[in-house]
Amino acid sequence: MTTGGSVGEDWPVASTDPTPTTPQPGEVVRIDAGGWGWTWAADTRGRLHQVGLGLDGAGAPVEVDPIWYPDAHPTWGGPDPFRPPALRITHAEGTTTTRLRLDGVERQPLGDDELVTVRTVDEVFALRVAFRTRTHRDSGVLEQWVEIDHDEDGPVTLWDYDSIAPALLIGPDARMTQFGGAGWADEWAWTTERLTPGTKVLDSLGGIQPHLQRSPMLLVEPNGPVDEASGDVIGCSIAWGGNTRFALDVRPRANDEARDLRLRAGANPLGAHYVLDPGTIFVTPTVAWTWSTGRGELSDRFHRWTRARVLRDPDRTRPIVVNNWESTFFAFDEQRIVGLIDRSASLGADLFLLDDGWFGTSSPRDDDTAGLGDWEPDRRKLPGGLPTLVDAAADRGIRFGIWVEPEMVNPDSDLFRAHPDWVVRDRREPREHRNQLALDPLIDEVRDFEVGVVDRVLGAAAGTSYIKWDANRPVTDPGSSALPADRQSNAWVDWVHATWEVMQRVADGHPDIELMLCASGGGRTDHGTLRWFHEFWTSDNTDPVTRVRMQWACGHWFPASAMAAHVTAWGGRPLPFACAVALSGRFGFDLDLDALDDESLAICRQAVTTARRTQDLVQHGRLVRLVSPVDGPDRSRAALGFVAPGRERAVVFCYQLDDPVSPPPVLRITGLDPAADYRVQTTDLQGAPDDLGILSGADLAGGALPWRPDRRTSASILELTTPG
Ligand code: DGJ
């Protein structure tokens, strides 16, 4: 039995193979992760040490007795009493220390890759810890996690259970970048700071939508500032749909500028100590990480790995979506929606997405106070039910999608009246958040109900081909009636596995339905949860000025095909600028199309036409970042491009976000074929494109094109094609 494990197809599942292997004295374990790697070696007592890490890490020579190298994975009570541990366990009989010795190494070939398991056992207790890595050498991203099990005389308690804990020697200018802001509508805020002595903890809380506060990703520049093409940069992503934690323990070295960094990453154990029974395997979240030269390579790697391992149907070009949320909120009827469907079709969109507010009978969903949980169409608003809308879309040649929030319930609902005991709660009265409560997925009937919500909605709206899955509140009363009193803190981990089980059942049950992941915006943008989805709603903040910076940050980890970006009225920015920003993500609209004048409609039409020409590049091409809106003294501009795999075409987006504070930058378009000639056309989505002539890839990389957007909140889109 396992605690759930990672349930994605061919993602880590706890190994139950007890094959005994015999470690050799001084055993050396080398992980070649594809362009970088690490080496561990056992000392004479079998304790593991990290001998090497980095670009040459897999080949690091063992130059002295391994005992002189840092611990491979520090435990409480291990050799270094001055540092926080990555693993802290109270054993069944009360001992609080853990000391591990090597018990065996297994290498399982997977084509050109490997699944490597380094098995250890406590020196005294019948407790085993397996360190597991799965290479992806074509992308250079390494998946790493830890498994713990035991045969002690009762349960043990896991207090800290990080997935990785590498040791690094860092320079005085070492930096890190975190991605988190004020919460809702402020996701992906970019903060870079120097690493200084002490422990810095970057965590997320909230359980259901923790990544609203902080995305589970981190950049570390161990030797000081890097740029797109040069400098050592480590990228880590915690593939976990719950609370996460990065901890950076920095310790100075006496009389030396260099410092020691221990980087720990994994699930956030705050309030979530795990009581583990004998015979059960606890699997930590997978951390995906890489060591790159420059941020550009880092993104290339994460994009390749995300496409290969995470995103569903990565090669399928995503539709152009029109969503009604910001134009109607809860106030609509059939006529209004059919009108919007009509407008969407005439604009050239692919899909109309009906958002919140379509359901609820005895407790109609006229606002966020009622109806959640009652997934029957509200016949007052939609007398023909959902089929009328699906048919209206089909009659106009577009697809239909629908919003659900299967994990939630309003107290004012038939569902809650029938099952008040189904909600997440402890012994107190549960607190409402957005007037709703969360259903407890550890209750078997709840998981069946949640899967059934999607089945029922799709059954009632045959022909629907897209679902937006939302989750609009955090956990505030952590407790579960499905767990005994002494296991309440296990809920934080178990909830993630239970929710992933529901998502997997939905994805498996409806393989042809495209799924968008949303949690009050980007509250669930992690590589673990995304495995059952095609894309995510990047943020509710669609002000294009903010969005450029958010998409810039998010684009370090995810390809643009995953980042839904809709044109809205947020921020009151010029429409061509708003369209140009959305065009660099998975393009769509959340505008009141009925209210647009002819001029605005013409701009939207031109944006759709541009999307048709460029979306294969944006979604499947190689991202090149050219002018940064988050680094340096002048953050008033941004430019990024997408280059076709064969480099025969590219599209470049240039944004002037604010009043400039310095002269225009030199636009150096990287990633092109220097020997090829490119015809360059530019558009600001207001009239025919301008032909800028033919320039070589070398000239374009050298800065031959001037910066064009000439005023704040304006954009220029450059399309580059090799003639013939
Ligand atoms: C939060 C989402 O982020 C919005 O796009 C919208 O779907 C609302 N929920 C609906 O309640």
Side-chain angles (χ1 to χ4, degrees), residues 184 187 323 325-326 329-330 355-357 365 368 403 405 434 436 468 470-472 516 518-522 537 539-540 590:
W184 178 78
E187 303 93 320
N323 188 197
W325 176 242
E326 297 215 5
F329 296 105
F330 297 96
D355 213 283
D356 197 354
R365 182 81 170 159
D368 61 20
W403 178 97
E405 192 176 5
R434 205 196 189 205
Q436 64 195 60
K468 175 178 178 181
D470 206 345
N472 284 298
M516 178 207 262
C518 174
S520 298
W537 183 226
S539 173
D540 273 353
D590 204 335

Side-chain angles (χ1 to χ4, degrees), residues 378-428:
D378 178 352
R379 297 275 167 181
R380 297 167 318 148
K381 290 182 187 171
L382 305 174
L386 297 175
T388 305
L389 305 181
V390 186
D391 290 349
D395 289 348
R396 290 157 180 80
I398 65 171
R399 296 164 53 195
F400 184 75
I402 196 158
W403 178 97
V404 294
E405 192 176 5
E407 302 158 79
M408 302 288 165
V409 64
N410 282 126
D412 183 2
S413 68
D414 290 341
L415 180 70
F416 185 76
R417 286 183 281 270
H419 300 287
D421 51 337
W422 274 12
V423 299
V424 168
R425 61 175 298 178
D426 55 16
R427 298 284 291 277
R428 305 166 198 281

Side-chain angles (χ1 to χ4, degrees), residues 1 49 80-81 97 121 131 196 247 312 337 447 464 498 527 582 584 645:
M1 197 194 152
H49 300 265
D80 186 347
T97 56
V121 63
F131 299 96
T196 51
R312 287 182 59 202
I337 295 300
R447 290 197 303 286
T464 300
H527 283 107
S584 66

Side-chain angles (χ1 to χ4, degrees), residues 273-286:
H273 53 275
Y274 202 91
V275 182
L276 184 68
D277 286 312
T280 304
I281 302 176
F282 180 88
V283 186
T284 71
T286 295

Side-chain angles (χ1 to χ4, degrees), residues 12 30 59 83 108 159 197 241 246 289 319 323 328 338-339 351 391 403 432 464 474 479 504 582 587 632 655 669 671:
R30 297 187 185 281
R83 292 283 201 135
Q108 183 187 332
W159 299 97
F246 290 103
W289 61 307
N323 188 197
T328 66
V338 172
L351 187 144
D391 290 349
W403 178 97
E432 291 176 26
T464 300
Q504 183 174 25
F587 181 69
Y655 304 116
I669 304 177

Side-chain angles (χ1 to χ4, degrees), residues 212-263:
L212 278 190
Q213 273 74 35
R214 179 171 282 115
S215 306
M217 287 88 182
L218 180 75
L219 295 175
V220 174
E221 298 163 11
N223 300 316
V226 307
D227 57 25
E228 288 296 312
S230 63
D232 288 323
V233 55
I234 300 161
C236 297
S237 167
I238 306 169
W240 188 236
N243 302 340
T244 59
R245 178 181 73 177
F246 290 103
L248 299 105
D249 311 316
V250 178
R251 187 158 60 176
R253 293 185 151 202
N255 307 319
D256 194 356
E257 288 216 303
R259 294 168 175 162
D260 289 306
L261 165 66
R262 178 74 70 171
L263 167 62

